Amino acid sequence: MGQITIDRAVKRFGDYTAIDHVSLDIEDGQFAVFVGPSGCGKSTLLRVITGLEDLSEGAIYIDGRDVSHVRPSERKLAMVFQSYALFPHISVRDNIAFGLKIAGESKDVIHTKVADAARILALSDYLDRKPRELSGGQRQRVAIGRAIVRNPTAFLFDEPLSNLDAALRVQMRLELFKLRKTLKTTMIYVTHDQVEAMTMADKIVVLNHGRVEQFATPLEIYDRPANTFVASFIGSPRMNFVDVVTTDETGLFFGDGNHLAIEKLRATPAGKAPSLLGVRPEHIAYSANAGFWRGVVSLEEQLGSDTFLYVDVASVGTLIVRGVGERSFRAGDTIFLTPPPARCHIFDGEGQRILTHAQADDSSKVHMNI
Ligand SMILES: Nc1ncnc2c1ncn2[C@@H]1O[C@H](COP(=O)(O)OP(=O)(O)OP(=O)(O)O)[C@@H](O)[C@H]1O
Ligand SMILES: [Mg+2]
């Protein structure tokens, strides 16, 4: 079992509130990923879960038991850090076995557990080497091996792959994915890497200034971001935002006088006036001849597979458009952009989501006046 509940957790360092009333329910066997800007409290939240930091307020429950005042060693959680913190002078085998030896396990138990962990992590051939004789990915696997042998209730990873190069990260990501399938243990994983978050998580926790902005599946977060912070944090390049100048019952008006008809707008809660339209670069349709907004390409970024066009639209702003395999537009060209209403997100003046394409699911009802 490895069900973790965080109940109104607060962590203060002096006057500074690093964790601000966080409540989360992480289910047994779930892979939860914490994302958020540097300093938002991801590591601190992991540390209060493990007990390396005391809570200022609130409680942590593991499988229903309040562990808020239980010592870290008794919480049965294993933490893997970005820096592997291996002992350089002893072998891989002894590094993996270290915690078991300290705990006074028998030689036989240690031997079996180390062998099992090494097999799962494809380290069997390296057990007699010293850490310096290993690659970065192999060292990281040793650090994970050290955690696995303790048979923890949950694994907590703090950016475990961020020291690795791009190719190794992909490989380790796949290995962690397999590991998770094999072990079926709860995992909490901190990363700055959106691809890791989107592909590995059952649920993503988006943190900002110590608060949870959204806790949802990766696709919910992508399709229905709770607010402009989440909308701009997940997705690359980030979502475009366009000011809504005014609205009527049928839709939105922009700075250039254009009107986008959105049928469902009538249903938005009273007092929640649309303030921003959000549309992702990959959802904007573009054409050389006709469309909703007329703009000029100010910059094109060719990535080979994708092209990002930066388009200046008078009285609206600069919009980024993603074209797959697009090669024809160049800086200075005129281009027409169309935000498909069924792919638009609408936010109020506080940046909270009012309406999203996934809610406007009866897309036959949304149409555009061009
Ligand atoms: N021991 C401490 N004393 C005082 N302030 C701290 C302490 N530990 C963390 N903080 C502050 O709490 C905030 C959250 O830090 P934390 O390390 O959790 O951020 P993070 O989200 O993990 O950032 P990063 O992505 O850079 O690792 C930061 O502003 C940090 O300066
Ligand atoms: Mg951190």
Side-chain angles (χ1 to χ4, degrees):
M1 290 293 282
Q3 199 263 337
I4 298 173
T5 300
I6 304 164
D7 184 23
R8 287 162 290 176
V10 175
K11 176 65 191 175
R12 292 188 202 92
F13 295 109
D15 292 345
Y16 183 76
T17 306
I19 299 295
D20 190 0
H21 295 90
V22 166
S23 292
L24 291 171
D25 255 317
I26 296 163
E27 289 164 26
D28 182 32
Q30 201 165 57
F31 197 111
V33 172
F34 293 175
V35 296
S38 184
C40 71
K42 304 179 294 293
S43 298
T44 305
L45 192 51
L46 281 195
R47 291 170 66 80
V48 297
I49 295 171
T50 51
L52 294 172
E53 297 279 1
D54 288 333
L55 277 174
S56 309
E57 283 176 36
I60 308 280
Y61 298 86
I62 299 176
D63 294 328
R65 172 178 171 231
D66 185 346
V67 296
S68 312
H69 304 288
V70 171
R71 279 193 301 175
S73 57
E74 284 158 29
R75 296 193 191 188
K76 291 214 69 194
L77 304 173
M79 190 144 167
V80 179
F81 299 93
Q82 173 180 354
S83 56
Y84 326 120
L86 301 179
F87 299 110
H89 52 284
I90 61 174
S91 66
V92 167
R93 183 191 315 279
D94 290 341
N95 264 286
I96 296 177
F98 189 78
L100 298 175
K101 281 190 183 156
I102 297 285
E105 289 282 5
S106 73
K107 272 198 168 161
D108 283 354
V109 170
I110 293 177
H111 181 80
T112 311
K113 286 193 168 185
V114 171
D116 282 350
R119 186 175 36 77
I120 291 170
L121 295 164
L123 284 171
S124 306
D125 293 342
Y126 303 95
L127 286 173
D128 294 318
R129 292 201 192 176
K130 300 275 168 57
R132 67 166 184 279
E133 297 163 333
L134 301 177
S135 73
Q138 289 162 344
R139 281 180 217 178
Q140 189 54 277
R141 277 183 276 160
V142 177
I144 296 170
R146 205 168 42 180
I148 289 179
V149 292
R150 294 178 47 212
N151 205 11
T153 313
F155 290 94
L156 283 68
F157 294 98
D158 197 353
E159 307 200 44
L161 308 187
S162 50
N163 280 343
L164 308 179
D165 68 37
L168 250 181
R169 285 181 81 109
V170 174
Q171 190 194 331
M172 280 302 294
R173 193 169 81 218
L174 294 174
E175 284 176 15
L176 274 175
F177 205 78
K178 279 192 264 169
L179 187 68
R180 169 203 172 184
K181 289 234 151 79
T182 318
L183 299 177
K184 299 189 178 70
T185 310
T186 308
M187 296 190 177
I188 305 180
Y189 190 96
V190 172
T191 184
H192 271 110
D193 185 319
Q194 286 209 16
V195 178
E196 275 174 32
M198 291 300 287
T199 56
M200 294 166 89
D202 293 317
K203 287 269 194 89
I204 293 179
V205 181
V206 183
L207 288 167
N208 185 25
H209 295 306
R211 285 187 295 271
V212 175
E213 296 280 357
Q214 193 166 4
F215 178 41
T217 66
L219 288 181
E220 274 166 20
I221 286 194
Y222 178 84
D223 287 339
R224 283 193 292 276
N227 51 47
T228 49
F229 178 84
V230 175
S232 46
F233 196 77
I234 297 287
S236 180
R238 60 164 238 175
M239 185 183 281
N240 294 291
F241 296 105
V242 178
D243 284 331
V244 172
V245 174
T246 179
T247 58
D248 65 10
E249 276 203 339
T250 62
L252 315 172
F253 291 91
F254 302 105
D256 60 348
N258 249 341
H259 174 258
L260 186 69
I262 295 184
E263 185 87 5
K264 280 238 170 169
L265 212 50
R266 276 179 211 149
T268 59
K272 294 256 175 188
S275 173
L276 275 183
L277 173 95
V279 58
R280 296 194 185 277
E282 55 273 35
H283 293 149
I284 296 182
Y286 59 93
S287 152
N289 310 312
F292 188 71
W293 283 310
R294 182 177 192 275
V296 176
V297 177
S298 59
L299 175 72
E300 88 265 7
E301 284 180 340
Q302 301 270 7
L303 272 68
S305 59
D306 292 328
T307 298
F308 300 127
L309 301 172
Y310 293 71
V311 178
D312 294 335
V313 179
S315 308
V316 166
T318 301
L319 301 177
I320 304 179
V321 183
R322 175 181 170 198
V324 176
E326 167 54 45
R327 297 281 161 95
S328 47
F329 286 97
R330 294 277 177 274
D333 289 351
T334 294
I335 187 170
F336 291 87
L337 308 181
T338 303
R343 291 290 205 172
C344 287
H345 308 259
I346 298 169
F347 302 95
D348 69 12
E350 263 105 57
Q352 297 300 311
R353 183 190 70 221
I354 303 176
L355 191 72
T356 268
H357 64 83
Q359 276 171 290
D361 43 11
D362 46 348
S363 49
S364 59
K365 282 195 181 169
V366 288
H367 59 276
M368 233 178 316
N369 297 337
I370 298 178

